[in-house]
Amino acid sequence: MERGNETLVREFIFLGFSSLAGLQQLLFIAFLPLYLFTLGTNAITIATIVLDRALHIPMYFFLAVLSCSETCYTFVIVPKMLVDLLAQKKTISFLGCAIQMLTFLFLGCSHSFLLAAMGYDRYVAICNPLRYTELMGHRVCVGLVAAACACGFTIAQIITSMVFHLPFHSSNQLHHFFCDISPVLKVASHHTHLSQIVIVMLCALVLIVPLLLILVSYIHIISAIVQFPSTLGRYKAFSTCASHLIVVTIHYGCASFIYLRLKSTSSSSQDALISVSYTILTPLFNPLIYSLRNKEFRSALRRAVGRTISLPQR
């Protein structure tokens, strides 16, 4: 892999936790239980929704897809990060880095569009309750998820292709713990401002368009809720949207902080810290936010646990 007298990069070295060399074993001990708990909570969420027929409605269908997406997202990044915390050589191949970026961008972009679909679901449920079953049939829900995945994969493929078509033959040290866009761009031998602007615009598209759709949905939702004659009715309507709003705030807050400022002046350690919360804590909190705030889900979980406990006694 030669170009003139310069050797192209064959692998990248992660330096995300190099400043905490003495604490990496402690970080492993801290992150491993969190990761296992994240897998467990998302698995419980998906299993409860699949097993309980009372939850076979669009809102929980989207929640199951969201939990599956969160599980896959963490699986792409966290296991490699945990291994690297204990390894002397923290490397990833050039192809492996490209695959990791493509996969996590696909899941992250799809996540944004999926949250927009969930916002539309809440809009139909509150603003058109009599036509909810008709407007949010199984085909429509599957179509919305498929569209979210298609948009996510297309944008992820464009960004990954643009990044890895750049020349890499100067440095292979990434000041991060996975192949994120900004750290990889920083080690490229050269890239035009145009390519960086296009990447930022695509990231903005993924964040701003779904967010605008969510805002439009909630403008109509709030307009409908304030006209409810009953205080209890208004409270119930707001409570069904609260979990979604919390997840939207966390997702778009972290993602906007990272991906809407791809400048060389950004702090690598700051980005790594935000990314840790985004890749470990957010997938952990999302199922907890939905389950703890939702009485219907808690009841379904108790029924599922009860059936599981009673099976060995038969």
Side-chain angles (χ1 to χ4, degrees):
M1 296 175 67
E2 300 285 337
R3 178 178 295 177
N5 295 323
E6 296 178 313
T7 302
L8 297 183
V9 169
R10 295 172 182 269
E11 65 180 15
F12 293 102
I13 301 173
F14 292 128
L15 301 177
F17 298 109
S18 58
S19 61
L20 302 171
L23 299 175
Q24 291 190 19
Q25 290 184 347
L26 290 176
L27 290 175
F28 176 86
I29 294 171
F31 290 156
L32 179 60
L34 287 174
Y35 176 58
L36 295 177
F37 191 62
T38 298
L39 294 180
T41 52
N42 280 287
I44 289 171
T45 300
I46 295 168
T48 303
I49 293 171
V50 170
L51 294 174
D52 197 295
R53 294 186 62 85
L55 301 184
H56 290 184
I57 59 176
M59 183 175 76
Y60 294 106
F61 170 75
F62 289 123
L63 177 56
V65 175
L66 184 71
S67 293
C68 184
S69 173
E70 297 278 20
T71 303
C72 294
Y73 185 88
T74 58
F75 188 74
V76 170
I77 297 171
V78 180
K80 171 64 176 168
M81 182 195 74
L82 292 173
V83 170
D84 285 343
L85 285 172
L86 300 180
Q88 292 295 322
K89 190 178 181 182
K90 311 174 195 303
T91 61
I92 187 171
S93 68
F94 187 88
L95 178 60
C97 189
I99 292 172
Q100 187 184 58
M101 181 181 289
L102 174 66
T103 309
F104 91 78
L105 282 178
F106 159 58
L107 293 167
C109 294
S110 300
H111 190 103
S112 289
F113 291 109
L114 181 61
L115 288 175
M118 295 174 77
Y120 175 70
D121 171 67
R122 292 298 82 209
Y123 157 74
V124 176
I126 292 172
C127 298
N128 294 285
L130 298 180
R131 299 185 60 201
Y132 181 69
T133 305
E134 174 190 349
L135 294 175
M136 295 301 297
H138 182 69
R139 286 187 177 181
V140 174
C141 293
V142 172
L144 288 172
V145 171
C149 291
C151 292
F153 183 77
T154 301
I155 294 172
Q157 192 174 35
I158 294 171
I159 293 176
T160 305
S161 178
M162 290 183 67
V163 170
F164 283 92
H165 271 84
L166 297 171
F168 293 89
H169 43 71
S170 56
S171 172
N172 67 338
Q173 296 183 342
L174 300 180
H175 292 273
H176 211 45
F177 58 90
F178 70 98
C179 294
D180 208 350
I181 301 171
S182 183
V184 176
L185 280 177
K186 287 177 183 177
V187 300
S189 298
H190 64 81
H191 57 84
T192 64
H193 287 294
L194 178 61
S195 64
Q196 191 171 14
I197 290 171
V198 171
I199 291 171
V200 172
M201 288 179 63
L202 287 171
C203 292
L205 176 70
V206 171
L207 293 171
I208 294 173
V209 171
L211 185 58
L212 286 176
L213 293 174
I214 292 170
L215 288 175
V216 170
S217 296
Y218 275 99
I219 288 172
H220 286 90
I221 288 170
I222 293 170
S223 299
I225 289 176
V226 294
Q227 297 178 23
F228 286 6
S230 166
T231 304
L232 180 61
R234 288 195 293 270
Y235 173 78
K236 286 183 176 179
F238 273 121
S239 66
T240 62
C241 300
S243 299
H244 180 248
L245 283 173
I246 293 171
V247 171
V248 166
T249 302
I250 294 172
H251 172 77
Y252 286 100
C254 293
S256 298
F257 183 84
I258 295 172
Y259 295 110
L260 295 188
R261 53 177 193 91
L262 297 177
K263 297 180 180 180
S264 58
T265 55
S266 62
S267 168
S268 299
S269 58
Q270 193 177 46
D271 286 352
L273 181 62
I274 296 295
S275 295
V276 166
S277 65
Y278 193 66
T279 55
I280 296 180
L281 298 181
T282 302
L284 170 65
F285 290 146
N286 285 355
L288 294 178
I289 289 169
Y290 273 98
S291 60
L292 292 177
R293 293 188 57 86
N294 194 301
K295 183 184 293 185
E296 189 177 21
F297 183 89
R298 294 199 303 269
S299 299
L301 180 59
R302 282 193 292 268
R303 288 195 297 271
V305 171
R307 286 195 297 268
T308 304
I309 294 173
S310 64
L311 282 176
Q313 300 174 352
R314 295 181 179 179

